Amino acid sequence: MIQFLKSLQLLSDTELQKLEGITKTKFLKKKEYFIKEGAICTELVLIKSGILRSYYSNIEGKETTKCIAFENELTTAYSSFITQEATYENIQALCDTELIILERDALYSLYADSFEWQNLGRRLTEQHYIDQENRTISFQKQTAKERYEILAANHSKYIKFIPLKHLSSFLGISPRHLSRLRNGT
């Protein structure tokens, strides 16, 4: 996590050293959950390796993939993490995944102790908002083919690990349409 945060160039070495001893590593096997609907999220994670899928289920049990997070990305059940209320989402490993975990209480202690950490939290929250807005806009302004091509260009080594049904749900298209896109027809 220190290397990831160092790359953002928002924290001094002194502030980064505060992470020593307060993060932990967790391993999830393929299909294992980071969090399930109904739980309260108390952890922010950096994906050291692997892929996490965030999804919702409707009343009939149909799953809709909200987000796919890859190596060197931060994720959590954001609403639950902030409000400390039960989450509506499930976050599941799509392959064996290694996470670096920072507990919410530890993060909020860092915020309380340092303007640099507060600034980092604000910047990461702003980036999360922009990412969500860009995803919404992509559904309004891009074709399914364009969305797939962008995903493939940015995460080509991971596409093979994402089952067709999850990838098509994330892109907002049917598995059949995604198969045609992949085959170039």
Side-chain angles (χ1 to χ4, degrees), residues 163-174:
L164 188 69
K165 66 182 180 179
H166 301 323
L167 190 56
S168 62
S169 173
F170 177 69
L171 294 168
I173 58 176
S174 69

Side-chain angles (χ1 to χ4, degrees), residues 33-117:
Y33 286 87
F34 165 64
I35 193 165
K36 287 186 176 181
E37 181 178 358
I40 295 175
C41 187
T42 60
E43 299 172 328
L44 174 70
V45 299
L46 174 73
I47 302 171
K48 187 170 181 182
S49 64
I51 307 169
L52 292 178
R53 173 180 79 109
S54 171
Y55 70 92
Y56 301 100
S57 297
N58 67 12
I59 318 171
E60 293 87 30
K62 182 181 180 219
E63 297 176 2
T64 300
T65 301
K66 171 191 157 212
C67 176
I68 299 174
F70 301 95
E71 185 176 307
N72 291 319
E73 292 182 357
L74 290 170
T75 195
T76 190
Y78 284 99
S79 294
S80 177
F81 186 80
I82 293 166
T83 64
Q84 290 299 276
E85 295 176 1
T87 185
Y88 291 103
E89 67 186 296
N90 299 283
I91 301 177
Q92 182 182 39
L94 292 181
C95 57
D96 290 350
T97 301
E98 182 178 0
L99 306 173
I100 299 172
I101 295 175
L102 179 60
E103 294 285 338
R104 183 182 187 274
D105 290 344
L107 178 62
Y108 278 64
S109 290
L110 292 169
Y111 287 164
D113 289 344
S114 165
F115 173 76
E116 286 183 45
W117 278 97

Side-chain angles (χ1 to χ4, degrees), residues 117-172:
W117 278 97
Q118 290 174 23
N119 187 41
L120 174 72
R122 179 183 55 82
R123 296 281 298 275
L124 291 173
T125 300
E126 290 170 349
Q127 187 60 52
H128 177 70
Y129 174 81
I130 290 166
D131 292 343
Q132 293 302 308
E133 185 174 88
N134 286 340
R135 178 156 165 74
T136 300
I137 290 169
S138 76
F139 278 91
Q140 297 169 348
K141 297 183 81 66
Q142 296 172 336
T143 65
K145 181 179 181 181
E146 290 169 329
R147 289 192 302 276
Y148 175 74
E149 288 171 347
I150 290 168
L151 183 67
N154 291 330
H155 301 290
S156 61
K157 71 179 186 177
Y158 298 108
I159 294 289
K160 63 184 172 205
F161 294 109
I162 304 171
L164 188 69
K165 66 182 180 179
H166 301 323
L167 190 56
S168 62
S169 173
F170 177 69
L171 294 168

